[in-house]
Amino acid sequence: MNGRPRSDGGGDEWKKYVKAFDAFPKQREEAAEFFHRSVSGGVITIVTAILMGLLFLSELGLYLKHTTRNTLAVDTSRGETMAIHVDVTMPRLPCSWLSIDAMDVSGDVHLEVNDHGLYKQRLNRRGNVVQEPELHEFGPKEKKEVKEKDPNACGSCYGAETDQKKCCNSCAEVREAYRKKNWSLSNVASVQQCVDEGVTLELDAQRGEGCRMYGDLTINKVAGNIHIAPGHSYQQGGLHMHDLTPFIGEKPFDLSHTIHRLAFGIEYPGMKNPLDGHKVRQKPLPIQTMEGGIPAGGAYQYYLKVVPTKYVTIGNSTINSNQYSVTETYKDPIPGTYSQLPGVFFFYDLSPVLVTFQEERRSFFSFITSACAIVGGLFTISGIIDSTVYSGQRLAKKKMGIGKLS
């Protein structure tokens, strides 16, 4: 060892090179007295700070808010079913007079769809609830209120007997026997089983009431229709028929209705159903009765184009649903014929296009970039404004000092 003290100069060399890149040179403390603060500079600073705060909060709100991106593609799904939610009120027709039927182009037919989660709720003339809702079924609660009978009894099927079914011990069994024969049960008052069960009494007892029908049903994902119409429904010779003979002598059917909700599939954020809240009041009919003295009634027809829709949330959970557009038409009853069934009809068809809604959110780095741009941009602009104002003030003072500014 030579005893020389170790030099630390080499360790500080890198600091000198780094200082050369300093873009923010500092004012020496002894030179702080050269800084000059002005009223205009203070006002500009306060305004700039407020604008920075407001714009930062706005940018933060945009960052926290979800945006939705839409894409279109061909719907390749096959063999699926579709859920429909129905909520319709008929204020001028009783529940015991109405049937809800669903059918599609595949040949699937649901007559008086009481095997689905559809309910009927009786309403009085003022629209108040008369009794608790019940599962949809035409006429009275035949299966629930039939009195116990002799198990060995064999009621008449009124000409509709078959080798497999020779006895009809309830009104429902008579109806079913007629349906299998493709016959119309034209006069339920002549059927003893229906009289014993109070079918005609039920129709009379609810005269003047209204009905709310609501619930869900699952159907094939193909074109079809759902309709609400008076009378018992049945198939005859491949045709869909409604038995309106029990209403002969009644006033014309008032098919005024309110569609509280009609949705195809599960609700997703931003879902809009065009028919929700739609109200219709029937106008005066040109005729009072149709062929055979059957009360007249118009046909309200809604043609819906159902578009398969997929909604993907920010958490990557998927909601498969549908949206639809609608066109509405109305047909008056045709004089002298019974070729048009009165009722409310929903004809739907499926679009081959699948719409996908994808929730998105701005990245955090994008938010930081925008926030820094706001702060830096406003700081720079405010500095330019302050410099311009300050220079203008100094120039004005100089001119006033030499008397050039009056």
Side-chain angles (χ1 to χ4, degrees):
M1 299 179 62
N2 54 15
R4 289 183 180 181
R6 184 177 178 180
S7 175
D8 294 332
D12 294 334
E13 289 294 328
W14 67 273
K15 295 182 180 180
K16 295 180 180 179
Y17 290 109
V18 173
K19 286 181 179 180
F21 293 98
D22 187 3
F24 308 99
K26 314 302 185 294
Q27 184 76 29
R28 293 180 181 273
E29 292 182 3
E30 56 269 20
E33 59 186 27
F34 294 104
F35 284 104
H36 176 70
R37 301 181 185 276
S38 64
V39 175
S40 61
V43 172
I44 293 174
T45 302
I46 294 173
V47 172
T48 301
I50 293 174
L51 288 176
M52 282 184 182
L54 293 176
L55 292 177
F56 177 81
L57 292 176
S58 175
E59 196 68 24
L60 180 62
L62 291 176
Y63 168 69
L64 297 176
K65 183 180 180 181
H66 297 165
T67 58
T68 305
R69 178 170 55 89
N70 306 335
T71 58
L72 300 178
V74 176
D75 184 15
T76 58
S77 60
R78 295 182 298 174
E80 295 183 355
T81 57
M82 180 170 56
I84 301 180
H85 180 78
V86 181
D87 190 350
V88 180
T89 294
M90 310 281 285
R92 299 293 181 263
L93 285 177
C95 290
S96 62
W97 292 26
L98 295 170
S99 293
I100 309 176
D101 302 325
M103 56 193 66
D104 57 50
V105 295
S106 68
D108 197 5
V109 178
H110 299 273
L111 300 177
E112 301 170 10
V113 284
N114 52 12
D115 55 340
H116 294 264
L118 286 176
Y119 293 84
K120 284 183 174 180
Q121 191 171 48
R122 292 171 57 187
L123 307 174
N124 59 22
R125 294 179 183 272
R126 296 183 178 181
N128 299 322
V129 176
V130 174
Q131 67 179 35
E132 292 301 315
E134 302 171 346
L135 278 174
H136 165 64
E137 185 172 356
F138 179 79
K141 303 176 288 297
E142 299 168 2
K143 297 181 181 179
K144 298 180 182 178
E145 298 182 355
V146 175
K147 297 179 181 179
E148 292 189 6
K149 299 179 181 179
D150 183 358
N152 298 321
C154 182
S156 173
C157 292
Y158 296 86
E161 296 85 355
T162 62
D163 293 337
Q164 294 78 20
K165 185 72 174 178
K166 296 184 179 296
C167 300
C168 297
N169 294 324
S170 68
C171 187
E173 291 181 357
V174 176
R175 291 183 187 276
E176 185 63 24
Y178 268 65
R179 179 180 299 174
K180 289 182 178 179
K181 289 281 189 178
N182 290 330
W183 294 351
S184 170
L185 186 59
S186 59
N187 187 8
V188 293
S190 64
V191 178
Q192 188 60 42
Q193 293 90 324
C194 297
V195 174
D196 292 341
E197 294 170 7
V199 173
T200 55
L201 294 177
E202 183 82 3
L203 296 177
D204 293 337
Q206 295 187 18
R207 183 179 285 106
E209 291 185 356
C211 184
R212 179 191 174 197
M213 293 152 287
Y214 66 94
D216 301 286
L217 64 153
T218 303
I219 58 175
N220 296 324
K221 196 174 179 181
V222 295
N225 80 83
I226 301 171
H227 59 267
I228 304 171
H232 180 75
S233 60
Y234 60 96
Q235 296 290 112
Q236 182 173 2
L239 299 176
H240 182 71
M241 307 289 289
H242 278 246
D243 182 15
L244 301 181
T245 53
F247 309 112
I248 293 177
E250 296 286 346
K251 296 180 180 179
F253 296 117
D254 187 343
L255 292 160
S256 300
H257 58 277
T258 299
I259 304 173
H260 304 288
R261 182 169 175 78
L262 180 65
F264 291 77
I266 305 172
E267 184 174 1
Y268 59 85
M271 183 178 185
K272 295 181 180 179
N273 301 307
L275 287 177
D276 287 1
H278 182 64
K279 295 183 180 181
V280 175
R281 292 296 174 259
Q282 181 170 283
K283 60 182 180 180
L285 299 175
I287 58 174
Q288 297 297 305
T289 59
M290 297 185 290
E291 183 180 3
I294 295 175
Y300 294 89
Q301 300 173 338
Y302 299 92
Y303 294 90
L304 292 79
K305 177 65 71 172
V306 180
V307 181
T309 303
K310 180 188 295 185
Y311 192 95
V312 183
T313 65
I314 198 73
N316 284 330
S317 60
T318 302
I319 302 174
N320 292 310
S321 187
N322 303 276
Q323 53 186 322
Y324 64 89
S325 61
V326 61
T327 301
E328 178 184 358
T329 63
Y330 170 77
K331 293 183 178 180
D332 279 321
I334 303 174
T337 182
Y338 178 42
S339 59
Q340 175 181 288
L341 176 66
V344 179
F345 300 82
F346 301 97
F347 299 95
Y348 57 89
D349 193 9
L350 276 296
S351 170
V353 176
L354 172 66
V355 178
T356 301
F357 295 103
Q358 176 76 50
E359 281 187 352
E360 294 180 342
R361 177 187 287 171
R362 293 175 57 190
S363 68
F364 179 73
F365 291 104
S366 175
F367 164 68
I368 292 296
T369 301
S370 299
C372 291
I374 290 172
V375 175
L378 283 176
F379 188 80
T380 302
I381 293 174
S382 62
I384 295 173
I385 295 174
D386 177 66
S387 177
T388 303
V389 172
Y390 182 68
S391 299
Q393 288 177 343
R394 290 186 60 189
L395 181 60
K397 288 181 179 180
K398 287 182 179 180
K399 290 185 177 182
M400 290 179 65
I402 60 178
K404 292 185 177 181
L405 187 64
S406 57

